[in-house]
Amino acid sequence: MKNLGWNSGKGFEIGSLNMEKKWVFPLVITSLVCVFLLVTSFNIGLVSSLHTFNAIFSIFPSRVIANQTKTAFAEEKIKGSLVPPPPAGPVIPRFAYLISGSRGDLDKLWRTLHTLYHPLNHYVLHLDLESPAEERLELASRVEREPVFAKIGNVMMITKANMVTYRGPTMVANTLHACAILLKRTKDWDWFINLSASDYPLVTQDDLLSTFTDLKRDLNFIEHTSRLGWKEEKRAMPLIMDPGLYKTTKSDIFWVTPRRTLPTAFKLFTGSAWMILSHSYVEYLVWGWDNLPRTLLMYYTNFVSSPEGYFQTVICNVPDYVPTVINHDMHYIAWDVPPKQHPHILSLNDSSKMIESGAAFARKFKHDDPVLDKIDRELLGRENGSFTPGGWCSGNPPCSEVGNPKKLKPGPGAHRLKGLVDRLLLSAMSDQNQCH
């Protein structure tokens, strides 16, 4: 029974030794962690504490302190000798264009493309299903044979043509289709611009790129108003069907009954079908990370002239995008008062008004109208059906080769366009013309 107790000194010593061994390992680990934390905290505060330590010990003429001071001075001297590189200039933006046309627009579209071309941009071309297959094949062949296009690879064609009727939702669908292609195929663009073959630029691409270089990339140039006027009765309340959604031949929309009342879940806006949209807003329209773009797309499926309302109504019903809206479509267009479905055809008589507007584009024009030759000669500096000259142009004949795409040579058009943009930005800052 005595052997079961701890009366023996040896037994107690053995037990104590075992207990000490039991705590040795945790003690060592804890000590190591403490040392690690101490060193780490010292290293973190080393830079901020260095001057404090020097100030405290500077009264002692120690050799160690003197060496530290000398070393610190040498480091400062080395840092001072490394001159930082100059700040990078503004990044040149890139535009993504949709240029669309229909039957008989092949040559008009080809001419417009040449006036708009720049190696930094991206281009999607579309001849709708009404145009003969021969025209679409000829356009694809021309794109493939053009050496500059083949080298840069920034001109694409929608080979599976869509049927497009202006007064129905098919134009909206075709625009969103082009946006989806651009988002999938390319990432490096800042603004999306939709044009038709009847549009023509009033400034060079160098003018446009240089003007937009200093702008915020989230701006959206989209003409709009909530004052529907006669459009409330004639467009918002009727229900229509667009045969272009299910037929392969073009025909006008037709009305169905009953009529509908104005919506209360969102506010309607109307405006121009031609826009300059930011990359961010285009992503929102296509990806639709909330239900609003899809809901409004269904609503505008039965809306008369939906291209003049869908994009405006979406952007003006999203609070985050309202501050980005600039109330202008960057076009010069001559309308009746009140405006009818189609604008006036522009001619030489409109030349001075087009130039004074400061707009980047104008519409609409007849094929090879003399006013286009005047624009080529006096505003774009374009000759013999070639590309619009720019800083990128190289080779002989000019623009037959691609030089430096980032070299811009803006001309008088940049001054006119900048004046318009400055006025629009000033108006937007006052918040008097945004989504009202």
Side-chain angles (χ1 to χ4, degrees), residues 382-434:
R382 179 174 175 266
E383 299 177 352
N384 303 322
S386 63
F387 295 110
T388 298
W392 66 271
C393 288
S394 182
N396 190 17
C399 301
S400 59
E401 298 287 341
V402 177
N404 181 7
K406 296 184 178 181
K407 180 181 179 182
L408 301 181
K409 291 183 177 180
H415 179 73
R416 298 194 306 270
L417 182 60
K418 187 177 186 305
L420 172 62
V421 171
D422 288 345
R423 293 192 297 272
L424 293 172
L425 292 177
L426 186 62
S427 176
M429 288 176 60
S430 65
D431 197 30
Q432 297 177 355
N433 214 16
Q434 289 178 289

Side-chain angles (χ1 to χ4, degrees), residues 283-332:
E283 282 189 329
Y284 175 70
L285 290 170
V286 173
W287 301 126
W289 45 80
D290 63 29
N291 284 327
L292 183 63
R294 291 186 290 273
T295 299
L296 290 178
L297 190 59
M298 289 188 291
Y299 176 82
Y300 276 94
T301 299
N302 305 111
F303 194 97
V304 182
S305 298
S306 55
E308 298 178 4
Y310 171 72
F311 299 96
Q312 291 84 351
T313 300
V314 173
I315 200 167
C316 283
N317 280 274
V318 181
D320 288 343
Y321 281 112
V322 170
T324 71
V325 178
I326 306 298
N327 197 357
H328 202 284
D329 62 0
M330 288 289 123
H331 272 70
Y332 174 81

Side-chain angles (χ1 to χ4, degrees), residues 244-353:
L245 292 172
Y246 55 87
K247 294 179 64 175
T248 58
T249 57
K250 185 175 293 188
S251 58
D252 198 7
I253 59 175
F254 60 88
W255 279 255
V256 297
T257 56
R259 291 165 64 88
R260 59 183 172 184
T261 59
L262 296 179
T264 57
F266 46 84
K267 188 176 182 179
L268 294 180
F269 289 80
T270 186
S272 171
W274 314 103
M275 304 154 289
I276 301 180
L277 305 180
S278 68
H279 192 285
S280 170
Y281 181 51
V282 170
E283 282 189 329
Y284 175 70
L285 290 170
V286 173
W287 301 126
W289 45 80
D290 63 29
N291 284 327
L292 183 63
R294 291 186 290 273
T295 299
L296 290 178
L297 190 59
M298 289 188 291
Y299 176 82
Y300 276 94
T301 299
N302 305 111
F303 194 97
V304 182
S305 298
S306 55
E308 298 178 4
Y310 171 72
F311 299 96
Q312 291 84 351
T313 300
V314 173
I315 200 167
C316 283
N317 280 274
V318 181
D320 288 343
Y321 281 112
V322 170
T324 71
V325 178
I326 306 298
N327 197 357
H328 202 284
D329 62 0
M330 288 289 123
H331 272 70
Y332 174 81
I333 304 176
W335 294 97
D336 291 320
V337 180
K340 296 180 180 179
Q341 187 67 37
H342 299 288
H344 290 298
I345 302 296
L346 300 177
S347 65
L348 287 170
N349 295 331
D350 299 289
S351 299
S352 58
K353 293 181 179 179

